[in-house]
Amino acid sequence: MRSKTIKLLAVLLLLCTVFAMSSCGLFSGDSEETETTTMLILAATPIPDSKEGVVNYFNTLMNGVKAARPGVEKEVKRELSSVKASNAKGDIPEVGSLIAIAKGYIKDLETKKDTAEYGANLNDFLPLKGTGSVSLLTADDVISATCADEEIERNGQKETDLKYYRLTLKLDPNSDMAKIFDIDGDKSAALDKFQDYTDNVTVSDYGVEFTEDCSVTLKIFKEKDYVIEAVYVKSMVISSDVVFNGELADWGEANVSFVLKETTVYKNFVWEEPTTVPAA
């Protein structure tokens, strides 16, 4: 009898120890691992393990946006930098006038914020305009392609947000950028608009060279493969031989170049059809 009592007490002590350790968090690692695994299982698509896999995932997501027709907002921002002028008659003491002209023209071109309602045709709202596709990229068109769980900063510390992926493509500037960006090939229209803007500079032609700052970044709600935000960065060096007129005529002719960075953000996606409230 006494032996049975001792064994029973031993079992009770063991159970008490297990519960005590659990309440102290000594087993919390196992609990967190289980929770993390559950969250990962909720992902509609596992993180691709290759550059080609990431590019294909990107294509599937963005081409699917046009097919699904969610509501979405678009905002375009243009920045001008590295304005230079060379080979002018004499020395140009400053490029302030050039910067003012170029910035004024870019501001005049700036696209205002725009919104597409849920269910609207997005063929001309998203790149590539006039088509049913948003991306025709291949792995050969990108320098790097990454996809990982979203990282956020909270109280000065980086944390992982398991609800989202962050996908980033760094584009090869020597690839065919028309596979991802809308490329305006109508130089005549652009030049005519520029000449309407200023009488101080005459431009007959210009060249465009993309830089390594071109990229696309997506924030993805991974449980349903919903794009939450898409940021397109198109960076270009614009160069042209120009003739100065009017108050700038003393400069004669010069080669002018500048960097134009265009950032287009697609945000506030509406993936579920808005409910209609019946009239009272």
Side-chain angles (χ1 to χ4, degrees):
M1 181 71 179
R2 181 180 179 185
S3 176
K4 289 183 178 180
T5 303
I6 292 174
K7 289 182 179 179
L8 179 60
L9 288 173
V11 171
L12 290 174
L13 286 172
L14 179 60
L15 289 173
C16 288
T17 302
V18 170
F19 285 124
M21 291 170 65
S22 177
S23 64
C24 290
L26 295 180
F27 290 159
S28 61
D30 291 341
S31 174
E32 289 178 3
E33 184 177 347
T34 302
E35 182 180 350
T36 301
T37 303
T38 302
M39 290 292 290
L40 290 175
I41 291 174
L42 292 177
T45 302
I47 294 176
D49 58 2
S50 66
K51 181 169 76 169
E52 183 177 10
V54 174
V55 173
N56 289 340
Y57 184 37
F58 171 83
N59 288 343
T60 298
L61 290 171
M62 289 307 297
N63 290 333
V65 172
K66 275 191 177 179
R69 298 187 176 187
V72 58
E73 293 180 13
K74 176 173 66 175
E75 184 176 357
V76 180
K77 179 181 180 182
R78 293 183 174 92
E79 300 174 76
L80 202 68
S81 63
S82 302
V83 179
K84 299 176 182 178
S86 59
N87 301 325
K89 186 186 298 182
D91 293 329
I92 297 179
E94 59 174 328
V95 293
S97 296
L98 289 176
I99 295 174
I101 292 171
K103 281 189 174 181
Y105 176 59
I106 296 304
K107 184 177 180 180
D108 188 53
L109 283 180
E110 187 170 0
T111 304
K112 305 300 181 182
K113 295 180 182 179
D114 200 1
T115 301
E117 300 297 332
Y118 179 90
N121 189 313
L122 298 177
N123 281 2
D124 290 330
F125 192 85
L126 298 171
L128 306 162
K129 289 183 179 178
T131 75
S133 299
V134 180
S135 171
L136 301 174
L137 291 175
T138 68
D140 293 335
D141 298 314
V142 303
I143 296 173
S144 63
T146 60
C147 183
D149 288 316
E150 174 80 320
E151 282 194 348
I152 59 175
E153 188 167 315
R154 184 175 295 160
N155 299 325
Q157 301 292 326
K158 286 189 176 180
E159 298 180 8
T160 301
D161 189 340
L162 295 176
K163 291 174 59 179
Y164 303 101
Y165 287 149
R166 175 69 59 174
L167 187 155
T168 301
L169 303 180
K170 185 176 181 181
L171 306 174
D172 184 348
N174 297 313
S175 66
D176 183 1
M177 287 297 183
K179 292 181 178 181
I180 186 67
F181 295 125
D182 287 317
I183 307 298
D184 186 2
D186 189 353
K187 284 189 175 183
S188 297
L191 291 170
D192 288 345
K193 188 172 181 63
F194 183 80
Q195 294 307 153
D196 289 341
Y197 180 79
T198 178
D199 293 327
N200 291 327
V201 182
T202 299
V203 181
S204 58
D205 196 7
Y206 63 88
V208 178
E209 182 178 345
F210 291 94
T211 79
E212 290 190 358
D213 290 332
C214 295
S215 66
V216 185
T217 302
L218 302 184
K219 181 177 180 180
I220 306 157
F221 178 48
K222 64 185 184 182
E223 183 177 350
K224 294 192 175 183
D225 271 348
Y226 285 167
V227 176
I228 301 301
E229 182 181 74
V231 180
Y232 282 61
V233 177
K234 182 166 57 175
S235 179
M236 305 159 284
V237 177
I238 311 296
S239 59
S240 177
D241 292 323
V242 305
V243 178
F244 294 104
N245 308 306
E247 60 185 24
L248 303 181
D250 290 344
W251 290 356
E253 300 178 6
N255 177 265
V256 175
S257 67
F258 58 89
V259 175
L260 174 61
K261 182 178 179 181
E262 180 180 282
T263 302
T264 304
V265 180
Y266 299 94
K267 58 184 179 179
N268 296 330
F269 283 80
V270 180
W271 284 100
E272 308 293 340
E273 184 174 5
T275 56
T276 302
V277 180

